[in-house]
Amino acid sequence: MANASAAQRLHEDLNLIINTADPGEQLPSEPVLAQQLGVSRATLREAMRTFETQGLISRRQGIGTFVLRPANVIESGLEVLESIESQAQSIGLPVNFGELDMVCRPAKAGEAEALGLGEGEKITQISRVILAEERPVAYLIDTLPVQVLTCDEIEADFSGSVLDLLLKRGDPALVSSRCEINAVAASSDIARMLNLQRGDALLRFVSSLYDLSGKVVDYSLSYFIPGYFRFHVVRQVVGL
Amino acid sequence: MANASAAQRLHEDLNLIINTADPGEQLPSEPVLAQQLGVSRATLREAMRTFETQGLISRRQGIGTFVLRPANVIESGLEVLESIESQAQSIGLPVNFGELDMVCRPAKAGEAEALGLGEGEKITQISRVILAEERPVAYLIDTLPVQVLTCDEIEADFSGSVLDLLLKRGDPALVSSRCEINAVAASSDIARMLNLQRGDALLRFVSSLYDLSGKVVDYSLSYFIPGYFRFHVVRQVVGL
DNA sequence: CAGTGGTCTAGACCACACG
DNA sequence: GTGTGGTCTAGACCACTGA
């Protein structure tokens, strides 16, 4: 026990380097840093993963690795459904979105089932990366029936949040959302968009948003970088 | 786009192999399998991670890699606090624990703060791996003031759940728990205990359990292997 | 172009299980 | 001992950025 692997020692070394560095500072290149720390580049990269998901460093291909100033954390209770944008606004955090991808197409089998539609019925799908203080912090995919939301409506007025758009419109009348929570490893695609390494740990919400009639009006996948969020929930104790 | 990396293609290949194999079947050794699939061992191991956290394969050092039968999922709403043991029992899933580690020692700074104690006051700490159907599915660490729970009491009667023990005793009167949810990469230690690879994505709960007087009676860290759990929560929509 | 991070390979050595 | 998975290394090649 207490058998310090190279990875563990390296983690501490990196911790020191990153905490000592000034925000904005560029670290030595990976080959150089690996040699300085006496490990291979593969091991160094492995150790750097944690610091990335904690929002402490940013690595940009073709440019370099940079130390970030401590991140502002978006804190949120899970009992109520509120958009990231709305939460960020309430703590004065500037948030916008990038890499918006919007399509209108027939629903695939899984999508149709999640939305209570027939396969092939038209859906609107919106994917985007959420940026807080210019840093990618989450990747969101919303899927809705076109009857609920069309691409035109999004182009006309989109703040980054489908929820806020629907609430502003006031129709359909939204009631609640059922949200499944899990941890996943970042795929290549998602890692690239969030500027992470593939395999990094992400928090994933799979949510179904219901209207007054009990219909699903929005099925969404949300990927959050751990270091930028603090989700909590109060759980009631039930007797034996 | 749709640029299939080696890792992505490999993921599909492995998916086919694993789904085709019978439960209990042993896969070829890593060097052999890597050659068969035309990738390096490092890439193969990387691709296998996902299947491990999904509970589809088990790798045991010195023995081999085995295909598991599909896992039973423990489903749980987060609104109420219930032990894994209790949840598993209600769906007829056999659960026990292993690797129990129990200590009684002075609180470190962070622990003292979490429990509202002075630094150095005695605490009881219980760590154990939870096994469902003989498979490790979670790693739990509970920290309590000795005034609330002593090691002797645990040795006398421990089912794997501190919550159940306190409820059974009926004192102190438990009210609710505040739980923070995040995703983390498995450390070497935790990976070993859960029979995973270091760096695998885990779901982590950090919880404080309160009694009637508002005091924290249990501070706990819980690590869950994603494939064995489905946590959900209903979120209410609040108007603009 | 040169320099960066992103990916992948081949191979070494270790720790562990089993005969 | 042999054979397995766990860890780490050195180095190659690619994709991207910015001068």
Side-chain angles (χ1 to χ4, degrees):
Chain A
M1 193 55 94
N3 170 18
S5 67
Q8 285 173 314
R9 280 182 282 105
L10 187 55
H11 189 89
E12 294 165 21
D13 293 343
L14 271 178
N15 205 359
L16 183 63
I17 290 176
I18 290 171
N19 283 310
T20 303
D22 296 321
E25 189 173 321
Q26 180 170 5
L27 294 181
S29 73
E30 291 184 354
V32 170
L33 192 54
Q35 192 175 14
Q36 284 179 7
L37 296 172
V39 297
S40 70
R41 203 182 141 207
T43 304
L44 173 65
R45 282 178 60 75
E46 163 68 30
M48 283 180 147
R49 300 169 81 143
T50 312
F51 296 96
E52 245 184 323
T53 58
Q54 292 308 111
L56 299 174
I57 61 172
S58 168
R59 315 157 83 176
R60 288 188 295 182
Q61 186 170 4
I63 308 183
T65 301
F66 301 85
V67 176
L68 301 174
R69 59 180 152 57
N72 285 305
V73 174
I74 299 174
E75 187 149 8
S76 171
L78 291 177
E79 290 82 359
V80 301
L81 178 62
E82 199 179 358
S83 70
I84 299 176
E85 289 76 7
S86 161
Q87 287 160 28
Q89 193 173 6
S90 67
I91 59 172
L93 199 65
V95 169
N96 55 324
F97 62 94
E99 308 234 11
L100 180 66
D101 185 22
M102 191 170 53
V103 294
C104 182
R105 58 168 172 73
K108 295 171 190 169
E111 295 164 345
E113 188 186 343
L115 290 171
L117 298 175
E119 192 171 342
E121 288 194 62
K122 282 275 191 84
I123 54 99
T124 302
Q125 188 165 68
I126 309 112
S127 329
R128 69 282 189 199
V129 172
I130 302 296
L131 306 165
E133 302 178 286
E134 311 299 319
R135 307 185 202 175
V137 298
Y139 177 61
L140 310 180
I141 308 168
D142 282 82
T143 307
L144 309 87
V146 282
Q147 292 87 340
V148 174
L149 191 65
T150 64
C151 285
D152 289 346
E153 291 176 275
I154 296 164
E155 285 187 352
D157 170 28
F158 190 56
S159 65
S161 164
V162 170
L163 176 65
D164 286 348
L165 197 161
L166 293 178
L167 283 174
K168 191 173 168 188
R169 197 175 64 181
D171 173 65
L174 307 178
V175 174
S176 66
S177 171
R178 187 182 194 277
C179 174
E180 269 185 24
I181 298 170
N182 230 322
V184 297
S187 67
S188 286
D189 291 342
I190 293 181
R192 191 178 332 110
M193 285 185 293
L194 290 178
N195 193 20
L196 296 174
Q197 246 184 289
R198 171 169 52 89
D200 281 357
L202 295 177
L203 192 61
R204 185 185 66 181
F205 288 5
V206 182
S207 308
S208 296
L209 179 62
Y210 295 89
D211 71 4
L212 262 177
S213 70
K215 283 206 294 264
V216 178
V217 296
D218 181 5
Y219 176 74
S220 68
L221 285 174
S222 311
Y223 297 88
F224 302 98
I225 302 179
Y228 295 111
F229 294 90
R230 189 147 56 222
F231 293 110
H232 57 82
V233 62
V234 174
R235 311 182 68 179
Q236 301 300 324
V237 173
V238 295
L240 278 179
Chain B
M1 192 56 94
N3 170 18
S5 67
Q8 284 173 314
R9 279 183 284 104
L10 187 54
H11 189 88
E12 294 166 21
D13 293 343
L14 271 178
N15 204 358
L16 182 63
I17 290 176
I18 290 170
N19 282 310
T20 304
D22 296 321
E25 190 173 322
Q26 180 171 5
L27 293 182
S29 73
E30 292 184 352
V32 171
L33 194 52
Q35 192 176 12
Q36 283 180 6
L37 296 172
V39 296
S40 71
R41 205 183 140 205
T43 304
L44 173 65
R45 283 179 60 73
E46 163 68 31
M48 282 180 148
R49 300 168 82 141
T50 312
F51 297 97
E52 245 184 324
T53 58
Q54 292 308 111
L56 299 174
I57 61 172
S58 168
R59 314 158 82 176
R60 288 188 294 182
Q61 187 171 5
I63 308 183
T65 301
F66 300 85
V67 176
L68 300 174
R69 59 180 154 59
N72 285 305
V73 173
I74 298 173
E75 187 148 7
S76 172
L78 292 176
E79 290 82 358
V80 301
L81 179 63
E82 199 179 357
S83 70
I84 298 175
E85 290 75 7
S86 162
Q87 287 160 27
Q89 192 174 6
S90 67
I91 60 171
L93 200 64
V95 169
N96 55 323
F97 62 94
E99 309 236 10
L100 180 65
D101 185 21
M102 191 168 55
V103 295
C104 181
R105 58 168 172 72
K108 297 172 189 169
E111 295 164 345
E113 189 187 342
L115 289 171
L117 299 175
E119 192 170 342
E121 288 194 64
K122 282 275 191 82
I123 53 101
T124 302
Q125 188 165 68
I126 309 113
S127 328
R128 69 281 188 199
V129 172
I130 302 297
L131 306 165
E133 302 178 287
E134 312 298 319
R135 308 185 201 176
V137 298
Y139 177 61
L140 310 180
I141 308 167
D142 283 81
T143 307
L144 310 86
V146 282
Q147 292 87 341
V148 175
L149 191 65
T150 65
C151 285
D152 290 347
E153 291 176 274
I154 296 164
E155 285 187 352
D157 170 27
F158 190 57
S159 65
S161 164
V162 169
L163 176 65
D164 287 348
L165 197 161
L166 293 178
L167 283 174
K168 190 173 170 188
R169 198 175 65 182
D171 173 63
L174 307 178
V175 174
S176 66
S177 171
R178 186 182 193 276
C179 174
E180 270 185 23
I181 298 171
N182 229 323
V184 297
S187 67
S188 285
D189 291 341
I190 293 181
R192 190 177 335 108
M193 284 185 293
L194 290 178
N195 192 20
L196 296 175
Q197 247 185 288
R198 171 169 51 91
D200 281 358
L202 295 177
L203 192 62
R204 186 184 67 181
F205 288 4
V206 182
S207 307
S208 297
L209 179 62
Y210 295 90
D211 72 2
L212 262 177
S213 71
K215 283 207 292 268
V216 178
V217 296
D218 181 6
Y219 176 76
S220 67
L221 284 175
S222 311
Y223 297 88
F224 302 99
I225 302 179
Y228 295 110
F229 295 89
R230 189 148 56 224
F231 293 110
H232 57 83
V233 63
V234 174
R235 311 183 69 178
Q236 301 301 323
V237 174
V238 295
L240 278 178

